């Protein structure tokens, strides 16, 4: 009898120990999810038929590798790296373009910190393949922290900071109709410390009355700064921190479903830029201002992508205009048309033909054309 009781006690102890171990393993697994790995590749061919500047070349535009996962249930982390085919300045490749964590417990109040996309315009945060064209619109590139008009380092639309965003005002189906986002950023661009210690405030609000339709308004108040030598408009030389204001707003509208895209955005900018673009640490010490470039810029684009064969074959067109000095004398207008073919959801070919009218060039060189093709691979 005692033997049976002892055996039973040992069995109960063993069962208890196993249950505790399983509980601990479950809790251990619960605080961190299995990471999700993804990425994409973009390869391009571009032919430029501009007089005295003709060229054609294949290029590895970029390769992105993305790692995402959750920790402690409510936090999502993202790490994204990039390598590109830039042979002019290999120092910029490879590099980290995203590293952030977001608290997501409440859909109406999510908090993100780290290196991330700036909440400005519809097109900036879009996946490069989903835009439908091999390039971003000119106004987004120049006024949304890509090749920014201010002269800051090329930043893929990103900066370091803290972001608050959320969704609210659900319709009858539970779909939120309103989305807001507002962030505080260094204002210096990707992987750059603050220089003038004046933070940029960027944010916007969008309204989606029905599924697929949304309108939005965005604002950006801040500055871009360098520490070095510069000359003011009176010819007086200075040596120290020079901050250039960035006052921007954007108006956006879009309809989008699986095959159709109709999108337009207008962006306006006030503020001077530096003469040279940041490409190395030495450039950051050159604080000379481009006074001749003025303190105004704006641009607008309108995109249409329509199905020929739903889910497979699409036609597209885009009007893309940017005025780097806010006047028509230096405007650059692009008229683009093309075709996109989807082999499957992972592989796509995007082609386009572009007519360019660049009024900043000599009168007999205003107009020229370009041809491009882009191979897009997701994994």
């Amino acid at each position: 009898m005692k033997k049976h009781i002892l055996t039973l006690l040992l069995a109960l102890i063993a069962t208890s120990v196993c249950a505790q171990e399983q509980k601990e393993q479950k809790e251990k697994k619960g605080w961190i999810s299995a990471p999700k790995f993804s990425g994409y590749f973009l390869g391009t061919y571009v032919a430029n038929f501009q007089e005295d500047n003709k060229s054609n070349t294949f290029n590895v535009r970029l390769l992105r590798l993305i790692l995402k996962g959750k920790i402690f249930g409510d936090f999502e982390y993202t790490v994204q790296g990039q390598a590109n085919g830039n042979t002019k300045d290999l120092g910029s490749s490879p590099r980290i373009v995203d590293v952030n964590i977001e608290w997501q417990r409440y859909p109406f109040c999510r908090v993100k910190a780290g290196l991330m996309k700036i909440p400005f315009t519809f097109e900036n945060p879009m996946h490069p393949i989903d835009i439908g064209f091999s390039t971003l619109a000119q106004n987004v590139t120049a006024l949304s922290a890509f090749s920014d008009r201010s002269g800051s380092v090329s930043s893929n639309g990103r900066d370091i900071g803290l972001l608050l965003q959320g969704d609210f005002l659900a319709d009858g189906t539970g779909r939120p109709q309103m989305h807001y986002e507002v962030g505080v950023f260094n204002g210096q661009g990707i992987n750059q410390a603050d220089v003038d210690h004046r933070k940029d405030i960027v944010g916007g609000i969008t309204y989606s009355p029905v599924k697929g339709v949304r309108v939005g308004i965005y604002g950006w108040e801040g500055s871009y700064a360098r520490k070095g030598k510069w000359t003011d408009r009176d010819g007086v030389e200075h040596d120290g921190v020079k901050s250039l204001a960035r006052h921007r707003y954007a108006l956006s509208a879009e309809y989008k479903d699986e095959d159709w895209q109709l999108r337009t955005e207008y962006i306006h900018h006030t503020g001077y830029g530096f003469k040279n673009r940041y490409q190395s640490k030495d450039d950051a010490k050159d604080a000379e201002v481009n006074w001749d470039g003025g303190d105004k810029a704006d641009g607008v684009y309108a995109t249409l992508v329509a199905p020929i064969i739903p889910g497979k074959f699409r036609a597209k067109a885009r009007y893309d205009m940017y005025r780097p000095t806010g006047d028509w004398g230096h405007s650059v207008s692009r008229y683009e048309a093309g075709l996109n073919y989807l082999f499957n959801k992972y592989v796509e070919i995007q082609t386009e033909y572009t007519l360019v009218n660049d009024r900043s060039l000599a009168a007999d060189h205003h107009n020229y054309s370009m041809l491009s093709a882009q191979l897009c691979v997701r994994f």
Side-chain angles (χ1 to χ4, degrees):
M1 184 70 176
K2 291 181 179 179
K3 184 178 180 181
H4 290 304
I5 293 174
L6 180 61
T7 302
L8 180 60
L9 287 173
L10 290 173
L12 289 172
I13 292 171
T15 302
S16 177
V17 170
C18 289
Q20 182 63 29
E21 288 181 350
Q22 290 176 356
K23 182 180 179 182
E24 290 177 355
Q25 289 178 0
K26 186 176 180 181
E27 289 176 349
K28 186 176 181 181
K29 290 179 180 179
W31 75 268
I32 182 168
S33 68
K36 296 180 180 180
F37 175 78
S38 62
Y40 58 96
F41 163 82
L42 300 176
T44 62
Y45 169 78
V46 179
N48 187 328
F49 305 111
Q50 184 180 6
E51 194 67 30
D52 300 327
N53 191 34
K54 293 181 180 179
S55 65
N56 71 90
T57 184
F58 291 101
N59 183 45
V60 177
R61 181 180 168 189
L62 59 84
L63 169 67
R64 289 268 179 87
L65 302 177
I66 307 162
L67 186 68
K68 284 192 174 186
K70 287 201 170 185
I71 56 175
F72 304 112
D74 298 326
F75 294 87
E76 181 180 79
Y77 66 86
T78 300
V79 179
Q80 183 172 194
Q82 172 179 308
N84 57 36
N86 176 13
T87 56
K88 183 178 180 181
D89 180 14
L90 293 176
S92 65
S93 176
R95 64 176 177 173
I96 296 295
V97 294
D98 280 306
V99 55
N100 56 69
I101 187 167
E102 184 176 49
W103 182 60
Q104 300 180 332
R105 171 168 291 187
Y106 303 108
F108 59 85
C109 181
R110 306 193 304 273
V111 184
K112 182 185 289 188
L115 178 62
M116 70 191 86
K117 280 284 190 179
I118 294 172
F120 192 72
T121 76
F122 284 175
E123 194 162 280
N124 180 11
M126 288 180 65
H127 194 293
I129 297 176
D130 293 339
I131 290 171
F133 289 79
S134 59
T135 61
L136 294 155
Q138 294 179 91
N139 60 351
V140 177
T141 299
L143 302 175
S144 193
F146 285 84
S147 296
D148 202 273
R149 183 187 187 275
S150 63
S152 62
V153 62
S154 182
S155 300
N156 300 105
R158 292 167 166 85
D159 206 335
I160 302 172
L162 184 69
L163 176 72
L164 176 68
Q165 63 177 336
D167 303 300
F168 62 100
L169 194 65
D171 61 15
T173 66
R175 181 187 63 85
Q177 295 178 294
M178 302 291 293
H179 174 77
Y180 73 90
E181 47 193 344
V182 60
V184 181
F185 300 90
N186 281 341
Q188 294 300 117
I190 192 169
N191 299 321
Q192 301 293 315
D194 208 338
V195 174
D196 60 3
H197 308 295
R198 295 163 52 188
K199 298 297 182 281
D200 284 23
I201 308 297
V202 189
I205 187 165
T206 61
Y207 173 57
S208 175
V210 296
K211 185 178 180 180
V213 176
R214 59 176 178 157
V215 294
I217 182 169
Y218 294 87
W220 182 338
E221 284 294 319
S223 63
Y224 172 58
R226 290 182 183 175
K227 187 176 182 180
K229 295 181 179 180
W230 56 281
T231 305
D232 64 26
R233 305 202 71 171
D234 296 323
V236 180
E237 294 186 356
H238 302 265
D239 191 352
V241 174
K242 178 59 179 175
S243 297
L244 300 179
R246 280 193 293 209
H247 308 300
R248 296 175 179 174
Y249 67 85
L251 304 174
S252 311
E254 179 184 61
Y255 170 74
K256 186 177 182 181
D257 64 16
E258 292 183 359
D259 282 300
W260 286 89
Q261 279 193 59
L262 291 91
R263 184 173 59 258
T264 183
E265 297 192 272
Y266 172 78
I267 309 175
H268 186 275
H269 163 88
T270 300
Y272 288 95
F274 289 104
K275 277 189 175 181
N276 69 321
R277 180 168 301 284
Y278 183 111
Q279 294 182 322
S280 69
K281 291 183 178 180
D282 290 336
D283 295 324
K285 300 174 184 177
D286 183 354
E288 290 294 346
V289 181
N290 181 20
W291 302 113
D292 294 336
D295 67 343
K296 294 289 190 295
D298 67 354
V300 65
Y301 74 87
T303 291
L304 169 65
V305 179
I308 298 175
I309 302 175
K312 202 72 175 176
F313 196 31
R314 297 168 183 161
K316 63 185 180 182
R318 180 169 69 178
Y319 169 68
D320 178 11
M321 185 278 295
Y322 175 59
R323 302 192 302 178
T325 56
D327 62 72
W328 288 103
H330 296 84
S331 67
V332 182
S333 297
R334 297 183 177 182
Y335 307 86
E336 302 167 271
L339 300 169
N340 293 346
Y341 183 77
L342 292 79
F343 293 91
N344 50 53
K345 65 180 181 179
Y346 302 108
V347 182
E348 181 178 349
I349 291 287
Q350 300 178 346
T351 65
E352 57 229 43
Y353 180 74
T354 305
L355 294 175
V356 182
N357 175 250
D358 186 346
R359 298 189 183 183
S360 67
L361 302 176
D364 57 345
H365 286 66
H366 278 181
N367 302 308
Y368 61 94
S369 61
M370 300 173 65
L371 178 68
S372 65
Q374 179 167 261
L375 171 65
C376 311
V377 180
R378 307 176 196 244
F379 53 89

